[in-house]
Amino acid sequence: MKIGVFEVRADEARCLENLQQELGFEAVTRQEPLTLENAELVRGCQGISILGQSRMDEKLLEKLRELGVGCLTTRTVGYNHIDLEAARKLGVQVCNVSYGPESVADYTIMLLLLLLRNYKPALYRQNVNDYSLAGLMGRQVKNLTVGVVGTGRIGLKVMEELSGFGCRILASDPYPNEKARQYGTYVPLEQLWRESDCITLHAPLTTENYHMINRETLALMKDGVILLNCARGPLMDTEAVIQAVEDKKIGRLGMDVIEEEEGIYHMDRRDDILKNRPMAYLRQFPNVVMTQHLAFYTEEAVESMVEGGIRNLCGMIGGEKVPGQLC
Ligand code: COI
């Protein structure tokens, strides 16, 4: 069995080699994403595995089919980078992975605490021996109402972790989760926008929720609202978010993701001219903490991503129905 593994990072290599020895497959491995330009590399492979930066649109899936590839796994939870409808039509089987929700949930809580306690300006001051306190007074989590948008595995874990702080928790999801009711109250989305001091996004990106944070929804929120996005950049209309930071509608902002991060995040681009202007602009605000899509990035999650992705791929090639099968 021959497979193609793309977007392979150095930290995935050991786990990949162990699996190769155990399962006995031949692998073409590349650091770069899979594209139409390098697709010839997978000729002779029965399946391929990618991360989130290989944009699997209809054309690329057609090319895979032409090259004889019938199975695709993404070593990610999110699968908004794969055109599932086209995959279904072309008969390409696709599956994703699941890893412990703690990685992203812990990170979300960390971002909330960093923002609430003004860690960014405190750190900047310390770097120039300014140890003053003025302007750094924080707030306690306990006294907040936190709105959790999306109560799948990650949203649910965030609610569970938040419940330890004793804050009021609101939740919204088109498919409510019974387990979430022990930590918070489901309310209509509009009520969540209006009543929350902090709003944290944990929804998968779909056509329905694209730019769910926009001028209209921001207008409903409390002045000084804290917004957290550890899910997907396009859930937020970045221009509307910038305006809201400038207008002080948003009081604190934590973004582990941003629109058009592909090709920038997870890469060393220090010598390049980057063209994501909103990213560069947002980063300069003292009340905005941005990170490079690393909420998932723990030893535990990475091991599950490689293990799950490669075992599922081999399973699918062998004709098994595997966990996370999407089509
Ligand atoms: C996911 O698993 O969905 C992530 O966001 C991780 C990242 C490597 C794309």
Side-chain angles (χ1 to χ4, degrees):
M1 182 192 317
K2 187 172 167 191
I3 63 172
V5 191
F6 287 80
E7 303 180 61
V8 179
R9 296 186 313 265
D11 55 74
E12 295 183 301
R14 191 185 41 82
C15 190
L16 193 56
E17 276 162 27
N18 290 345
L19 285 162
Q20 204 166 348
Q21 279 185 3
E22 184 194 328
L23 304 172
F25 54 81
E26 194 188 327
V28 176
T29 57
R30 285 290 181 279
Q31 287 176 8
E32 68 265 18
L34 176 64
T35 60
L36 267 181
E37 287 65 45
N38 66 9
E40 277 296 329
L41 287 168
V42 306
R43 194 179 280 283
C45 293
Q46 286 110 307
I48 58 160
S49 172
I50 56 169
L51 281 168
Q53 305 218 11
S54 302
R55 207 131 283 290
M56 305 305 297
D57 57 15
E58 186 156 8
K59 273 217 173 93
L60 186 46
L61 289 163
E62 265 167 10
K63 181 72 182 171
L64 289 188
R65 238 10 203 146
E66 203 182 295
L67 293 166
V69 177
C71 298
L72 164 67
T73 56
T74 179
R75 305 188 302 284
T76 59
V77 173
Y79 49 85
N80 51 290
H81 52 300
I82 304 173
D83 183 343
L84 281 186
E85 214 169 290
R88 239 174 247 124
K89 201 170 74 190
L90 292 160
V92 177
Q93 294 188 68
V94 182
C95 74
N96 68 344
V97 294
S98 95
Y99 46 85
E102 291 82 2
S103 300
V104 179
D106 293 358
Y107 199 90
T108 304
I109 303 294
M110 178 194 76
L111 268 188
L112 172 61
L113 291 169
L114 287 181
L115 287 163
L116 274 177
R117 306 306 292 266
N118 298 306
Y119 179 69
K120 183 175 171 181
L123 180 69
Y124 283 5
R125 284 187 199 185
Q126 209 179 64
N127 286 340
V128 292
N129 278 348
D130 173 358
Y131 302 104
S132 61
L133 289 180
L136 296 183
M137 192 183 286
R139 291 177 67 187
Q140 297 183 170
V141 181
K142 182 175 187 259
N143 299 322
L144 302 179
T145 296
V146 183
V148 179
V149 179
T151 56
R153 294 175 71 233
I154 294 173
L156 175 66
K157 183 54 74 178
V158 168
M159 290 175 76
E160 183 190 330
E161 293 190 2
L162 278 172
S163 69
F165 289 89
C167 54
R168 176 179 178 234
I169 303 174
L170 302 179
S172 175
D173 195 301
Y175 306 99
N177 179 341
E178 278 316 306
K179 289 190 197 141
R181 295 189 198 278
Q182 63 186 300
Y183 306 118
T185 312
Y186 278 104
V187 294
L189 204 43
E190 189 177 324
Q191 186 180 345
L192 184 146
W193 300 142
R194 286 186 193 283
E195 293 185 16
S196 303
D197 300 297
C198 168
I199 295 169
T200 181
L201 305 180
H202 299 289
L205 176 65
T206 63
T207 38
E208 289 75 34
N209 65 19
Y210 173 78
H211 280 187
M212 73 190 310
I213 303 295
N214 54 44
R215 277 178 219 292
E216 289 74 36
T217 50
L218 281 160
L220 300 175
M221 294 175 197
K222 289 190 178 183
D223 290 341
V225 66
I226 302 166
L227 274 190
L228 304 174
N229 188 359
C230 289
R232 284 294 181 266
L235 292 172
M236 290 176 154
D237 174 349
T238 314
E239 287 304 326
V241 164
I242 288 173
Q243 187 65 54
V245 174
E246 287 174 341
D247 295 345
K248 303 202 168 124
K249 172 55 118 182
I250 295 177
R252 296 160 208 249
L253 174 64
M255 290 173 73
D256 185 48
V257 288
I258 188 164
E259 288 188 285
E260 299 182 21
E261 67 183 46
E262 295 81 6
I264 300 178
Y265 282 1
H266 301 180
M267 290 168 196
D268 182 351
R269 302 285 315 268
R270 79 181 90 173
D271 294 328
D272 301 332
I273 304 292
L274 300 184
K275 292 193 177 155
N276 193 324
R277 291 185 192 188
M279 182 183 87
Y281 184 62
L282 270 170
R283 204 177 42 209
Q284 46 94 24
F285 291 111
N287 54 347
V288 176
V289 172
M290 294 171 74
T291 50
Q292 57 269 50
H293 201 149
L294 49 79
F296 77 98
Y297 196 47
T298 61
E299 288 173 17
E300 295 85 347
V302 168
E303 190 175 329
S304 302
M305 290 160 99
V306 181
E307 279 269 338
I310 302 303
R311 283 191 194 281
N312 283 353
L313 185 60
C314 294
M316 279 199 302
I317 294 169
E320 287 167 34
K321 182 106 185 112
V322 299
Q325 187 125 12
L326 301 165
C327 72

